[in-house]
């Protein structure tokens, strides 16, 4: 979930969209979106598709995260 | 959700895997998987990733469904 959150926030930022803006465009609560980006929410398919539509990308694009990429937690453990 | 379900069952069949087999490999209940394939379940990210792992495809592959594809319901309405 963390990798999805990291990937989502990178996609959002690369388009110069604020969290508030994406929340508004996708119809999701800003606080919920924050939790998704922090990897704390197990987001469901319908909301993944809403975010994809708001970012104007195909839904699959949101899941193109590197499954082997270290996450902040796994990096912290290795210190 | 219906498009995801149709796409998932096509992916599963193309690999010659039964619903029982995919349920076993992914750790999901067979009845839940049946509901996902019928488009009746709003599957969450963690379970999407479990199915992708069981099918040995990247998670994004499961969301590469054609968002404009007519679904059985939309076809029925047009008759």
């Amino acid at each position: 979930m963390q990798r999805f959150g990291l990937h989502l926030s990178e996609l959002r930022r690369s388009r110069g969209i604020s969290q508030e803006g994406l929340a508004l465009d996708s119809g999701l609560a800003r606080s919920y979106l924050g939790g998704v980006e922090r990897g704390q929410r197990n987001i469901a398919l319908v909301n993944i598709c809403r975010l994809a539509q708001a970012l104007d990308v195909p839904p699959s694009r949101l899941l193109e995260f590197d499954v082997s990429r270290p996450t902040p937690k796994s990096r912290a453990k290795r210190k």
Side-chain angles (χ1 to χ4, degrees), chain A residues 1 3-4 12-13 21-22 44 46 62 71 76:
Chain A
M1 288 190 311
R3 290 184 185 96
F4 176 88
R12 172 176 62 75
R13 285 175 212 204
L22 181 54
V46 167
L62 292 191
T71 58

Side-chain angles (χ1 to χ4, degrees), chain A residues 15-47:
Chain A
R15 281 160 177 69
I17 303 173
S18 66
Q19 227 178 50
E20 290 73 18
L22 181 54
L24 206 64
D25 293 347
S26 60
L28 301 179
R30 215 280 315 146
S31 56
Y32 174 78
L33 181 59
V36 170
E37 290 196 355
R38 288 189 303 275
Q40 296 165 340
R41 298 273 181 174
N42 186 14
I43 186 169
L45 178 63
V46 167
N47 286 340

Side-chain angles (χ1 to χ4, degrees), chain A residues 28-70:
Chain A
L28 301 179
R30 215 280 315 146
S31 56
Y32 174 78
L33 181 59
V36 170
E37 290 196 355
R38 288 189 303 275
Q40 296 165 340
R41 298 273 181 174
N42 186 14
I43 186 169
L45 178 63
V46 167
N47 286 340
I48 291 172
C49 292
R50 280 181 167 176
L51 289 171
Q53 202 167 15
L55 290 167
D56 197 24
V57 296
S60 55
R61 182 79 183 74
L62 292 191
L63 265 64
E64 284 169 4
F65 50 80
D66 178 357
V67 288
S68 60
R69 173 180 181 180

